[in-house]
Amino acid sequence: MIRLSELNKNNLFEVIKLYDTLTEYQKKCVAKNSISIAQAYVNPQAWPRVIYDDDVIIGFVMISTHDEDIPIEDQPAYYLWRFMIGYPYQKKGFGKEVLDIIIEKARNENQRYLYTSCEMEGSMPYQFYINYGFIDTGLNDGEQILKYKL
């Protein structure tokens, strides 16, 4: 069963090492987990979580609970800032389950949209988000900006 848990001293290093399981292409699409954790430490709007499948750490996700770059007409909105599933756990439906959890959290907290962005070198993760129901809003700073109406 997929669950999101707080980052702590017991899971920190395993989360950091999980990044090393990604392919070279995937590493171009997502920041190192160590960088994301550091960013979370200095950004009070960050909501970092470790992704577990039962007791196995399979990924890392972080949302921003406030992002001033999101248009005012779409506020309040969350921004899916980081999202990675370790390579051995990909293509098993876990990504969709995590998005379902994030969407439920956002709805429960009366958000209007969930935004994210992605690189466009290959078909993933863009196609994953489009298949889930995100809408492409265009290019910004070299990344496609996508949004999901809640």
Side-chain angles (χ1 to χ4, degrees), residues 64-131:
S64 174
T65 58
H66 180 74
D67 189 314
E68 293 179 3
D69 291 335
I70 294 173
I72 191 72
E73 62 270 13
D74 288 349
Q75 297 282 1
Y78 283 163
Y79 182 82
L80 182 59
W81 193 357
R82 298 287 194 271
F83 187 19
M84 69 83 61
I85 302 285
Y87 186 79
Y89 312 104
Q90 295 176 11
K91 301 191 188 313
K92 298 181 181 195
F94 295 139
K96 181 189 177 307
E97 288 185 57
V98 172
L99 276 182
D100 290 346
I101 292 168
I102 297 292
I103 296 288
E104 182 179 346
K105 172 185 174 48
R107 283 184 175 141
N108 288 340
E109 296 175 3
N110 299 314
Q111 302 302 299
R112 297 183 67 216
Y113 286 91
L114 177 65
Y115 271 73
T116 195
S117 62
C118 63
E119 296 287 334
M120 292 301 295
E121 278 188 38
S123 63
M124 290 299 188
Y126 179 81
Q127 202 58 51
F128 167 76
Y129 290 122
I130 294 299
N131 289 345

Side-chain angles (χ1 to χ4, degrees), residues 3-29:
R3 63 185 168 88
L4 306 182
S5 295
E6 288 188 22
L7 191 65
N8 59 50
K9 65 182 180 180
N10 297 320
N11 59 26
L12 174 67
F13 292 109
E14 193 170 343
V15 170
I16 290 171
K17 289 190 289 186
L18 194 59
Y19 178 84
D20 295 333
T21 69
L22 299 179
T23 66
E24 290 307 310
Y25 165 70
Q26 292 170 333
K27 289 178 180 178
K28 292 178 185 177
C29 296

